[in-house]
Amino acid sequence: MEQENKPAERGKLTMEIILAIDGGGSRTRCLAIDRSGQILADIVSGPSNHLLIDGEIVKQSLAEAIDQALDRSKATRADVIFLSAGLAGVDFDGTGAPEMETLLRELGYEKVLINGDIVIAHAGALALKPGVIALAGTGSAFFGVGLDGERVKVGGWGPIYGDEGSAYRIGQLALRGAASGYDGRGPETALTVELPRALGLAEFRETVSRIYVGGMESREIAALSRVAYEVAEAGDEVARNLFFHAGEELAEGVEATIRRLKLGEREVPVSYQGSVVDSCRLLRDRFVERLGRTAPNCKVVPPRFEPVIGAYLLGRKALGLEMDNGVFAALRRNERR
């Protein structure tokens, strides 16, 4: 019986796992992935943006995601060769990373790499290649990496400064368009009916107290972009123009990023991440069309991988592990889209 157990023990000793984490203000996702690119576990836990969430909650969210990922992988902490995370609250230049490194070390992990969430989004979308991405979810930002490794970030200032092309911006402009139509200052729009209905209200005027007295959070206003898109898909011109405008704004951000990288006439891979660009065809088509007119050296490509896979790729790079077609193929087979 003792001899039968030895091969299993040897196999256990050779398990080498990279933990890849994508942590944000609403959830934390952790993948356990081996050296070959096989995803062994995919876990979602609570929020981990340390700028918005209490430190103990952040620590609990990360610990829960990691522990469950290891448990599902039938692995232990000793099997983890590296932990690579992209976290909201950490900027592209590493601002905010040291305190999160400290937290992860308190959880028992010494070999860690902390990047901003936009960095792993870029790494996933372009599979570590130079180029530019537009990130458009609740907020928006643009990030580029040059041929020499230079990094440039544009936007990402938050809702007060603009968040152009984001779900928040679309939700805000949808409310404005609906108010204008309600007053007769602008064209009539189904948004005047559909926005209050989505909020459980009987009439558009009730949105005033809901927003100002009830104190709607940014994410709640951003959620109205989904309603606006349904109205746009139904043919409402006011709603459709919201998404055309958002596509133009995202293209402008990409153009500014390219200018700052000084890439000249070289072909520039451009991709995107985030729920707005992923799910809104009207916006995405206008984004691509605008870049074709104003930045013809761009080559817009769909994102190759999700941000959390970008964290894994950056972890492999930090370890000096080669990327080959077999690893990419395994990731594509196993990745949950």
Side-chain angles (χ1 to χ4, degrees), residues 200-237:
L201 304 174
E203 203 260 342
F204 184 72
R205 288 184 64 84
E206 295 179 17
T207 61
V208 175
S209 59
R210 178 64 182 274
I211 290 168
Y212 292 119
V213 179
M216 284 181 69
E217 297 179 3
S218 295
R219 61 181 177 80
E220 294 176 293
I221 293 176
L224 296 177
S225 66
R226 293 195 293 270
V227 181
Y229 193 66
E230 291 173 3
V231 174
E233 287 273 80
D236 186 280
E237 283 303 312

PDB file of all heavy atoms in Angstrom, residues 200-237:
ATOM      1  N   GLY A 200     -38.697  50.933 -11.681  1.00  0.00           N
ATOM      2  CA  GLY A 200     -39.874  50.624 -10.883  1.00  0.00           C
ATOM      3  C   GLY A 200     -40.716  51.837 -10.573  1.00  0.00           C
ATOM      4  O   GLY A 200     -41.437  51.861  -9.559  1.00  0.00           O
ATOM      5  N   LEU A 201     -40.640  52.853 -11.430  1.00  0.00           N
ATOM      6  CA  LEU A 201     -41.361  54.105 -11.212  1.00  0.00           C
ATOM      7  C   LEU A 201     -42.501  54.221 -12.219  1.00  0.00           C
ATOM      8  O   LEU A 201     -42.452  53.662 -13.317  1.00  0.00           O
ATOM      9  CB  LEU A 201     -40.416  55.299 -11.349  1.00  0.00           C
ATOM     10  CG  LEU A 201     -39.174  55.273 -10.443  1.00  0.00           C
ATOM     11  CD1 LEU A 201     -38.248  56.431 -10.784  1.00  0.00           C
ATOM     12  CD2 LEU A 201     -39.584  55.309  -8.973  1.00  0.00           C
ATOM     13  N   ALA A 202     -43.526  55.003 -11.860  1.00  0.00           N
ATOM     14  CA  ALA A 202     -44.703  55.123 -12.716  1.00  0.00           C
ATOM     15  C   ALA A 202     -44.549  56.183 -13.786  1.00  0.00           C
ATOM     16  O   ALA A 202     -45.189  56.086 -14.849  1.00  0.00           O
ATOM     17  CB  ALA A 202     -45.935  55.437 -11.851  1.00  0.00           C
ATOM     18  N   GLU A 203     -43.703  57.175 -13.536  1.00  0.00           N
ATOM     19  CA  GLU A 203     -43.663  58.332 -14.434  1.00  0.00           C
ATOM     20  C   GLU A 203     -42.273  58.960 -14.393  1.00  0.00           C
ATOM     21  O   GLU A 203     -41.563  58.876 -13.382  1.00  0.00           O
ATOM     22  CB  GLU A 203     -44.724  59.337 -13.959  1.00  0.00           C
ATOM     23  CG  GLU A 203     -45.207  60.291 -15.030  1.00  0.00           C
ATOM     24  CD  GLU A 203     -44.523  61.649 -14.891  1.00  0.00           C
ATOM     25  OE1 GLU A 203     -43.969  61.933 -13.814  1.00  0.00           O
ATOM     26  OE2 GLU A 203     -44.533  62.403 -15.885  1.00  0.00           O
ATOM     27  N   PHE A 204     -41.868  59.579 -15.519  1.00  0.00           N
ATOM     28  CA  PHE A 204     -40.488  60.060 -15.643  1.00  0.00           C
ATOM     29  C   PHE A 204     -40.113  61.090 -14.581  1.00  0.00           C
ATOM     30  O   PHE A 204     -38.985  61.101 -14.089  1.00  0.00           O
ATOM     31  CB  PHE A 204     -40.242  60.642 -17.035  1.00  0.00           C
ATOM     32  CG  PHE A 204     -38.808  61.063 -17.239  1.00  0.00           C
ATOM     33  CD1 PHE A 204     -37.804  60.108 -17.390  1.00  0.00           C
ATOM     34  CD2 PHE A 204     -38.456  62.409 -17.220  1.00  0.00           C
ATOM     35  CE1 PHE A 204     -36.482  60.481 -17.538  1.00  0.00           C
ATOM     36  CE2 PHE A 204     -37.139  62.790 -17.376  1.00  0.00           C
ATOM     37  CZ  PHE A 204     -36.140  61.829 -17.538  1.00  0.00           C
ATOM     38  N   ARG A 205     -41.042  61.937 -14.183  1.00  0.00           N
ATOM     39  CA  ARG A 205     -40.714  62.956 -13.189  1.00  0.00           C
ATOM     40  C   ARG A 205     -40.263  62.343 -11.865  1.00  0.00           C
ATOM     41  O   ARG A 205     -39.526  62.972 -11.099  1.00  0.00           O
ATOM     42  CB  ARG A 205     -41.913  63.888 -12.959  1.00  0.00           C
ATOM     43  CG  ARG A 205     -42.184  64.839 -14.127  1.00  0.00           C
ATOM     44  CD  ARG A 205     -43.314  65.800 -13.791  1.00  0.00           C
ATOM     45  NE  ARG A 205     -42.962  66.675 -12.669  1.00  0.00           N
ATOM     46  CZ  ARG A 205     -42.267  67.811 -12.806  1.00  0.00           C
ATOM     47  NH1 ARG A 205     -41.855  68.201 -14.008  1.00  0.00           N
ATOM     48  NH2 ARG A 205     -42.007  68.552 -11.757  1.00  0.00           N
ATOM     49  N   GLU A 206     -40.690  61.122 -11.587  1.00  0.00           N
ATOM     50  CA  GLU A 206     -40.301  60.463 -10.337  1.00  0.00           C
ATOM     51  C   GLU A 206     -38.818  60.118 -10.301  1.00  0.00           C
ATOM     52  O   GLU A 206     -38.261  59.842  -9.233  1.00  0.00           O
ATOM     53  CB  GLU A 206     -41.130  59.195 -10.131  1.00  0.00           C
ATOM     54  CG  GLU A 206     -42.611  59.463  -9.938  1.00  0.00           C
ATOM     55  CD  GLU A 206     -43.407  58.182  -9.765  1.00  0.00           C
ATOM     56  OE1 GLU A 206     -42.795  57.127  -9.465  1.00  0.00           O
ATOM     57  OE2 GLU A 206     -44.635  58.221  -9.937  1.00  0.00           O
ATOM     58  N   THR A 207     -38.166  60.128 -11.485  1.00  0.00           N
ATOM     59  CA  THR A 207     -36.730  59.829 -11.488  1.00  0.00           C
ATOM     60  C   THR A 207     -35.931  60.904 -10.756  1.00  0.00           C
ATOM     61  O   THR A 207     -34.828  60.631 -10.276  1.00  0.00           O
ATOM     62  CB  THR A 207     -36.188  59.703 -12.928  1.00  0.00           C
ATOM     63  OG1 THR A 207     -36.371  60.942 -13.629  1.00  0.00           O
ATOM     64  CG2 THR A 207     -36.888  58.585 -13.680  1.00  0.00           C
ATOM     65  N   VAL A 208     -36.476  62.116 -10.661  1.00  0.00           N
ATOM     66  CA  VAL A 208     -35.756  63.208  -9.997  1.00  0.00           C
ATOM     67  C   VAL A 208     -35.502  62.873  -8.532  1.00  0.00           C
ATOM     68  O   VAL A 208     -34.371  62.957  -8.040  1.00  0.00           O
ATOM     69  CB  VAL A 208     -36.535  64.534 -10.120  1.00  0.00           C
ATOM     70  CG1 VAL A 208     -35.840  65.635  -9.330  1.00  0.00           C
ATOM     71  CG2 VAL A 208     -36.668  64.939 -11.588  1.00  0.00           C
ATOM     72  N   SER A 209     -36.558  62.472  -7.824  1.00  0.00           N
ATOM     73  CA  SER A 209     -36.374  62.137  -6.402  1.00  0.00           C
ATOM     74  C   SER A 209     -35.551  60.868  -6.247  1.00  0.00           C
ATOM     75  O   SER A 209     -34.779  60.733  -5.290  1.00  0.00           O
ATOM     76  CB  SER A 209     -37.729  61.988  -5.709  1.00  0.00           C
ATOM     77  OG  SER A 209     -38.505  60.976  -6.336  1.00  0.00           O
ATOM     78  N   ARG A 210     -35.716  59.931  -7.182  1.00  0.00           N
ATOM     79  CA  ARG A 210     -34.929  58.695  -7.090  1.00  0.00           C
ATOM     80  C   ARG A 210     -33.442  59.007  -7.186  1.00  0.00           C
ATOM     81  O   ARG A 210     -32.625  58.418  -6.465  1.00  0.00           O
ATOM     82  CB  ARG A 210     -35.343  57.741  -8.208  1.00  0.00           C
ATOM     83  CG  ARG A 210     -34.553  56.436  -8.256  1.00  0.00           C
ATOM     84  CD  ARG A 210     -34.774  55.590  -7.004  1.00  0.00           C
ATOM     85  NE  ARG A 210     -33.988  54.390  -7.048  1.00  0.00           N
ATOM     86  CZ  ARG A 210     -34.382  53.252  -7.647  1.00  0.00           C
ATOM     87  NH1 ARG A 210     -35.549  53.200  -8.253  1.00  0.00           N
ATOM     88  NH2 ARG A 210     -33.606  52.196  -7.634  1.00  0.00           N
ATOM     89  N   ILE A 211     -33.059  59.934  -8.062  1.00  0.00           N
ATOM     90  CA  ILE A 211     -31.649  60.248  -8.271  1.00  0.00           C
ATOM     91  C   ILE A 211     -31.111  61.161  -7.173  1.00  0.00           C
ATOM     92  O   ILE A 211     -30.071  60.886  -6.577  1.00  0.00           O
ATOM     93  CB  ILE A 211     -31.447  60.891  -9.657  1.00  0.00           C
ATOM     94  CG1 ILE A 211     -31.679  59.847 -10.750  1.00  0.00           C
ATOM     95  CG2 ILE A 211     -30.040  61.487  -9.786  1.00  0.00           C
ATOM     96  CD1 ILE A 211     -31.779  60.407 -12.140  1.00  0.00           C
ATOM     97  N   TYR A 212     -31.833  62.243  -6.877  1.00  0.00           N
ATOM     98  CA  TYR A 212     -31.304  63.246  -5.956  1.00  0.00           C
ATOM     99  C   TYR A 212     -31.577  62.937  -4.492  1.00  0.00           C
ATOM    100  O   TYR A 212     -30.727  63.193  -3.637  1.00  0.00           O
ATOM    101  CB  TYR A 212     -31.874  64.625  -6.303  1.00  0.00           C
ATOM    102  CG  TYR A 212     -31.376  65.147  -7.623  1.00  0.00           C
ATOM    103  CD1 TYR A 212     -32.266  65.424  -8.661  1.00  0.00           C
ATOM    104  CD2 TYR A 212     -30.025  65.362  -7.849  1.00  0.00           C
ATOM    105  CE1 TYR A 212     -31.821  65.896  -9.886  1.00  0.00           C
ATOM    106  CE2 TYR A 212     -29.568  65.830  -9.071  1.00  0.00           C
ATOM    107  CZ  TYR A 212     -30.464  66.097 -10.081  1.00  0.00           C
ATOM    108  OH  TYR A 212     -30.011  66.569 -11.289  1.00  0.00           O
ATOM    109  N   VAL A 213     -32.742  62.386  -4.199  1.00  0.00           N
ATOM    110  CA  VAL A 213     -33.083  62.073  -2.810  1.00  0.00           C
ATOM    111  C   VAL A 213     -32.633  60.653  -2.464  1.00  0.00           C
ATOM    112  O   VAL A 213     -32.036  60.412  -1.414  1.00  0.00           O
ATOM    113  CB  VAL A 213     -34.603  62.231  -2.561  1.00  0.00           C
ATOM    114  CG1 VAL A 213     -34.948  61.889  -1.111  1.00  0.00           C
ATOM    115  CG2 VAL A 213     -35.051  63.644  -2.904  1.00  0.00           C
ATOM    116  N   GLY A 214     -32.928  59.741  -3.380  1.00  0.00           N
ATOM    117  CA  GLY A 214     -32.537  58.345  -3.137  1.00  0.00           C
ATOM    118  C   GLY A 214     -31.049  58.108  -3.242  1.00  0.00           C
ATOM    119  O   GLY A 214     -30.514  57.135  -2.708  1.00  0.00           O
ATOM    120  N   GLY A 215     -30.354  58.996  -3.970  1.00  0.00           N
ATOM    121  CA  GLY A 215     -28.900  58.875  -4.079  1.00  0.00           C
ATOM    122  C   GLY A 215     -28.457  57.678  -4.900  1.00  0.00           C
ATOM    123  O   GLY A 215     -27.776  56.788  -4.383  1.00  0.00           O
ATOM    124  N   MET A 216     -28.841  57.646  -6.167  1.00  0.00           N
ATOM    125  CA  MET A 216     -28.416  56.541  -7.029  1.00  0.00           C
ATOM    126  C   MET A 216     -26.905  56.518  -7.163  1.00  0.00           C
ATOM    127  O   MET A 216     -26.263  57.550  -7.385  1.00  0.00           O
ATOM    128  CB  MET A 216     -29.048  56.674  -8.417  1.00  0.00           C
ATOM    129  CG  MET A 216     -30.500  56.283  -8.468  1.00  0.00           C
ATOM    130  SD  MET A 216     -31.200  56.427 -10.132  1.00  0.00           S
ATOM    131  CE  MET A 216     -30.346  55.093 -10.983  1.00  0.00           C
ATOM    132  N   GLU A 217     -26.325  55.330  -7.029  1.00  0.00           N
ATOM    133  CA  GLU A 217     -24.883  55.173  -7.172  1.00  0.00           C
ATOM    134  C   GLU A 217     -24.506  55.133  -8.654  1.00  0.00           C
ATOM    135  O   GLU A 217     -25.360  54.906  -9.524  1.00  0.00           O
ATOM    136  CB  GLU A 217     -24.420  53.883  -6.493  1.00  0.00           C
ATOM    137  CG  GLU A 217     -24.665  53.867  -4.991  1.00  0.00           C
ATOM    138  CD  GLU A 217     -24.215  52.574  -4.356  1.00  0.00           C
ATOM    139  OE1 GLU A 217     -23.657  51.708  -5.088  1.00  0.00           O
ATOM    140  OE2 GLU A 217     -24.421  52.409  -3.141  1.00  0.00           O
ATOM    141  N   SER A 218     -23.225  55.331  -8.911  1.00  0.00           N
ATOM    142  CA  SER A 218     -22.736  55.333 -10.298  1.00  0.00           C
ATOM    143  C   SER A 218     -23.109  54.052 -11.020  1.00  0.00           C
ATOM    144  O   SER A 218     -23.516  54.071 -12.189  1.00  0.00           O
ATOM    145  CB  SER A 218     -21.217  55.524 -10.319  1.00  0.00           C
ATOM    146  OG  SER A 218     -20.872  56.787  -9.834  1.00  0.00           O
ATOM    147  N   ARG A 219     -22.977  52.912 -10.333  1.00  0.00           N
ATOM    148  CA  ARG A 219     -23.254  51.634 -10.991  1.00  0.00           C
ATOM    149  C   ARG A 219     -24.731  51.500 -11.354  1.00  0.00           C
ATOM    150  O   ARG A 219     -25.088  50.837 -12.331  1.00  0.00           O
ATOM    151  CB  ARG A 219     -22.800  50.462 -10.117  1.00  0.00           C
ATOM    152  CG  ARG A 219     -23.486  50.383  -8.777  1.00  0.00           C
ATOM    153  CD  ARG A 219     -22.983  49.213  -7.931  1.00  0.00           C
ATOM    154  NE  ARG A 219     -23.588  49.194  -6.618  1.00  0.00           N
ATOM    155  CZ  ARG A 219     -24.803  48.723  -6.360  1.00  0.00           C
ATOM    156  NH1 ARG A 219     -25.517  48.219  -7.343  1.00  0.00           N
ATOM    157  NH2 ARG A 219     -25.290  48.732  -5.140  1.00  0.00           N
ATOM    158  N   GLU A 220     -25.632  52.147 -10.577  1.00  0.00           N
ATOM    159  CA  GLU A 220     -27.054  52.089 -10.879  1.00  0.00           C
ATOM    160  C   GLU A 220     -27.384  52.934 -12.108  1.00  0.00           C
ATOM    161  O   GLU A 220     -28.212  52.539 -12.934  1.00  0.00           O
ATOM    162  CB  GLU A 220     -27.862  52.577  -9.676  1.00  0.00           C
ATOM    163  CG  GLU A 220     -27.749  51.668  -8.460  1.00  0.00           C
ATOM    164  CD  GLU A 220     -28.482  52.237  -7.261  1.00  0.00           C
ATOM    165  OE1 GLU A 220     -28.053  53.290  -6.742  1.00  0.00           O
ATOM    166  OE2 GLU A 220     -29.500  51.623  -6.859  1.00  0.00           O
ATOM    167  N   ILE A 221     -26.729  54.084 -12.211  1.00  0.00           N
ATOM    168  CA  ILE A 221     -26.914  54.901 -13.411  1.00  0.00           C
ATOM    169  C   ILE A 221     -26.312  54.173 -14.612  1.00  0.00           C
ATOM    170  O   ILE A 221     -26.891  54.172 -15.710  1.00  0.00           O
ATOM    171  CB  ILE A 221     -26.283  56.293 -13.218  1.00  0.00           C
ATOM    172  CG1 ILE A 221     -27.068  57.057 -12.148  1.00  0.00           C
ATOM    173  CG2 ILE A 221     -26.253  57.076 -14.533  1.00  0.00           C
ATOM    174  CD1 ILE A 221     -26.500  58.405 -11.790  1.00  0.00           C
ATOM    175  N   ALA A 222     -25.160  53.537 -14.411  1.00  0.00           N
ATOM    176  CA  ALA A 222     -24.535  52.777 -15.497  1.00  0.00           C
ATOM    177  C   ALA A 222     -25.453  51.662 -15.977  1.00  0.00           C
ATOM    178  O   ALA A 222     -25.502  51.351 -17.173  1.00  0.00           O
ATOM    179  CB  ALA A 222     -23.203  52.206 -15.034  1.00  0.00           C
ATOM    180  N   ALA A 223     -26.203  51.060 -15.064  1.00  0.00           N
ATOM    181  CA  ALA A 223     -27.097  49.957 -15.443  1.00  0.00           C
ATOM    182  C   ALA A 223     -28.197  50.419 -16.392  1.00  0.00           C
ATOM    183  O   ALA A 223     -28.757  49.604 -17.145  1.00  0.00           O
ATOM    184  CB  ALA A 223     -27.709  49.329 -14.193  1.00  0.00           C
ATOM    185  N   LEU A 224     -28.498  51.709 -16.397  1.00  0.00           N
ATOM    186  CA  LEU A 224     -29.517  52.225 -17.315  1.00  0.00           C
ATOM    187  C   LEU A 224     -29.062  52.138 -18.767  1.00  0.00           C
ATOM    188  O   LEU A 224     -29.894  52.206 -19.681  1.00  0.00           O
ATOM    189  CB  LEU A 224     -29.857  53.679 -16.964  1.00  0.00           C
ATOM    190  CG  LEU A 224     -30.508  53.908 -15.593  1.00  0.00           C
ATOM    191  CD1 LEU A 224     -30.723  55.396 -15.357  1.00  0.00           C
ATOM    192  CD2 LEU A 224     -31.832  53.141 -15.480  1.00  0.00           C
ATOM    193  N   SER A 225     -27.762  51.975 -18.989  1.00  0.00           N
ATOM    194  CA  SER A 225     -27.269  51.847 -20.369  1.00  0.00           C
ATOM    195  C   SER A 225     -27.845  50.601 -21.039  1.00  0.00           C
ATOM    196  O   SER A 225     -28.055  50.580 -22.257  1.00  0.00           O
ATOM    197  CB  SER A 225     -25.739  51.804 -20.403  1.00  0.00           C
ATOM    198  OG  SER A 225     -25.241  50.635 -19.771  1.00  0.00           O
ATOM    199  N   ARG A 226     -28.102  49.565 -20.251  1.00  0.00           N
ATOM    200  CA  ARG A 226     -28.691  48.347 -20.823  1.00  0.00           C
ATOM    201  C   ARG A 226     -30.113  48.617 -21.324  1.00  0.00           C
ATOM    202  O   ARG A 226     -30.524  48.118 -22.373  1.00  0.00           O
ATOM    203  CB  ARG A 226     -28.688  47.221 -19.782  1.00  0.00           C
ATOM    204  CG  ARG A 226     -27.300  46.730 -19.420  1.00  0.00           C
ATOM    205  CD  ARG A 226     -27.365  45.397 -18.693  1.00  0.00           C
ATOM    206  NE  ARG A 226     -27.986  45.523 -17.385  1.00  0.00           N
ATOM    207  CZ  ARG A 226     -27.340  45.782 -16.269  1.00  0.00           C
ATOM    208  NH1 ARG A 226     -26.031  45.976 -16.286  1.00  0.00           N
ATOM    209  NH2 ARG A 226     -27.982  45.864 -15.116  1.00  0.00           N
ATOM    210  N   VAL A 227     -30.861  49.396 -20.548  1.00  0.00           N
ATOM    211  CA  VAL A 227     -32.215  49.771 -20.965  1.00  0.00           C
ATOM    212  C   VAL A 227     -32.139  50.617 -22.230  1.00  0.00           C
ATOM    213  O   VAL A 227     -32.896  50.408 -23.191  1.00  0.00           O
ATOM    214  CB  VAL A 227     -32.923  50.556 -19.840  1.00  0.00           C
ATOM    215  CG1 VAL A 227     -34.341  50.917 -20.267  1.00  0.00           C
ATOM    216  CG2 VAL A 227     -32.929  49.775 -18.543  1.00  0.00           C
ATOM    217  N   ALA A 228     -31.211  51.570 -22.224  1.00  0.00           N
ATOM    218  CA  ALA A 228     -31.054  52.442 -23.389  1.00  0.00           C
ATOM    219  C   ALA A 228     -30.707  51.632 -24.633  1.00  0.00           C
ATOM    220  O   ALA A 228     -31.182  51.949 -25.738  1.00  0.00           O
ATOM    221  CB  ALA A 228     -29.972  53.485 -23.115  1.00  0.00           C
ATOM    222  N   TYR A 229     -29.920  50.574 -24.463  1.00  0.00           N
ATOM    223  CA  TYR A 229     -29.547  49.787 -25.642  1.00  0.00           C
ATOM    224  C   TYR A 229     -30.731  49.001 -26.190  1.00  0.00           C
ATOM    225  O   TYR A 229     -30.887  48.862 -27.403  1.00  0.00           O
ATOM    226  CB  TYR A 229     -28.379  48.848 -25.339  1.00  0.00           C
ATOM    227  CG  TYR A 229     -27.782  48.276 -26.605  1.00  0.00           C
ATOM    228  CD1 TYR A 229     -27.138  49.102 -27.510  1.00  0.00           C
ATOM    229  CD2 TYR A 229     -27.909  46.926 -26.915  1.00  0.00           C
ATOM    230  CE1 TYR A 229     -26.617  48.609 -28.694  1.00  0.00           C
ATOM    231  CE2 TYR A 229     -27.385  46.416 -28.093  1.00  0.00           C
ATOM    232  CZ  TYR A 229     -26.741  47.265 -28.971  1.00  0.00           C
ATOM    233  OH  TYR A 229     -26.235  46.783 -30.154  1.00  0.00           O
ATOM    234  N   GLU A 230     -31.576  48.508 -25.303  1.00  0.00           N
ATOM    235  CA  GLU A 230     -32.789  47.818 -25.768  1.00  0.00           C
ATOM    236  C   GLU A 230     -33.666  48.778 -26.565  1.00  0.00           C
ATOM    237  O   GLU A 230     -34.238  48.406 -27.606  1.00  0.00           O
ATOM    238  CB  GLU A 230     -33.549  47.255 -24.567  1.00  0.00           C
ATOM    239  CG  GLU A 230     -32.835  46.101 -23.875  1.00  0.00           C
ATOM    240  CD  GLU A 230     -33.523  45.678 -22.590  1.00  0.00           C
ATOM    241  OE1 GLU A 230     -34.588  46.257 -22.275  1.00  0.00           O
ATOM    242  OE2 GLU A 230     -33.006  44.773 -21.909  1.00  0.00           O
ATOM    243  N   VAL A 231     -33.771  50.019 -26.090  1.00  0.00           N
ATOM    244  CA  VAL A 231     -34.560  51.034 -26.796  1.00  0.00           C
ATOM    245  C   VAL A 231     -33.911  51.350 -28.147  1.00  0.00           C
ATOM    246  O   VAL A 231     -34.589  51.500 -29.164  1.00  0.00           O
ATOM    247  CB  VAL A 231     -34.704  52.307 -25.934  1.00  0.00           C
ATOM    248  CG1 VAL A 231     -35.402  53.426 -26.706  1.00  0.00           C
ATOM    249  CG2 VAL A 231     -35.467  51.993 -24.648  1.00  0.00           C
ATOM    250  N   ALA A 232     -32.584  51.433 -28.154  1.00  0.00           N
ATOM    251  CA  ALA A 232     -31.864  51.709 -29.403  1.00  0.00           C
ATOM    252  C   ALA A 232     -32.065  50.584 -30.406  1.00  0.00           C
ATOM    253  O   ALA A 232     -32.295  50.828 -31.601  1.00  0.00           O
ATOM    254  CB  ALA A 232     -30.377  51.891 -29.103  1.00  0.00           C
ATOM    255  N   GLU A 233     -32.000  49.356 -29.949  1.00  0.00           N
ATOM    256  CA  GLU A 233     -32.190  48.207 -30.829  1.00  0.00           C
ATOM    257  C   GLU A 233     -33.589  48.186 -31.436  1.00  0.00           C
ATOM    258  O   GLU A 233     -33.798  47.659 -32.531  1.00  0.00           O
ATOM    259  CB  GLU A 233     -31.935  46.909 -30.065  1.00  0.00           C
ATOM    260  CG  GLU A 233     -30.477  46.645 -29.754  1.00  0.00           C
ATOM    261  CD  GLU A 233     -29.767  45.930 -30.887  1.00  0.00           C
ATOM    262  OE1 GLU A 233     -29.390  46.609 -31.880  1.00  0.00           O
ATOM    263  OE2 GLU A 233     -29.595  44.705 -30.800  1.00  0.00           O
ATOM    264  N   ALA A 234     -34.536  48.782 -30.712  1.00  0.00           N
ATOM    265  CA  ALA A 234     -35.907  48.846 -31.214  1.00  0.00           C
ATOM    266  C   ALA A 234     -36.097  49.958 -32.236  1.00  0.00           C
ATOM    267  O   ALA A 234     -37.187  50.106 -32.790  1.00  0.00           O
ATOM    268  CB  ALA A 234     -36.877  49.028 -30.053  1.00  0.00           C
ATOM    269  N   GLY A 235     -35.043  50.744 -32.468  1.00  0.00           N
ATOM    270  CA  GLY A 235     -35.089  51.751 -33.518  1.00  0.00           C
ATOM    271  C   GLY A 235     -35.231  53.192 -33.059  1.00  0.00           C
ATOM    272  O   GLY A 235     -35.310  54.096 -33.894  1.00  0.00           O
ATOM    273  N   ASP A 236     -35.248  53.432 -31.752  1.00  0.00           N
ATOM    274  CA  ASP A 236     -35.394  54.801 -31.250  1.00  0.00           C
ATOM    275  C   ASP A 236     -34.150  55.620 -31.613  1.00  0.00           C
ATOM    276  O   ASP A 236     -33.031  55.269 -31.221  1.00  0.00           O
ATOM    277  CB  ASP A 236     -35.578  54.765 -29.733  1.00  0.00           C
ATOM    278  CG  ASP A 236     -35.869  56.115 -29.130  1.00  0.00           C
ATOM    279  OD1 ASP A 236     -34.916  56.895 -28.928  1.00  0.00           O
ATOM    280  OD2 ASP A 236     -37.035  56.413 -28.874  1.00  0.00           O
ATOM    281  N   GLU A 237     -34.331  56.715 -32.343  1.00  0.00           N
ATOM    282  CA  GLU A 237     -33.195  57.480 -32.847  1.00  0.00           C
ATOM    283  C   GLU A 237     -32.408  58.169 -31.740  1.00  0.00           C
ATOM    284  O   GLU A 237     -31.181  58.263 -31.803  1.00  0.00           O
ATOM    285  CB  GLU A 237     -33.656  58.518 -33.873  1.00  0.00           C
ATOM    286  CG  GLU A 237     -33.960  57.926 -35.237  1.00  0.00           C
ATOM    287  CD  GLU A 237     -32.760  57.189 -35.823  1.00  0.00           C
ATOM    288  OE1 GLU A 237     -31.652  57.755 -35.817  1.00  0.00           O
ATOM    289  OE2 GLU A 237     -32.922  56.052 -36.288  1.00  0.00           O
TER     290      GLU A 237
END
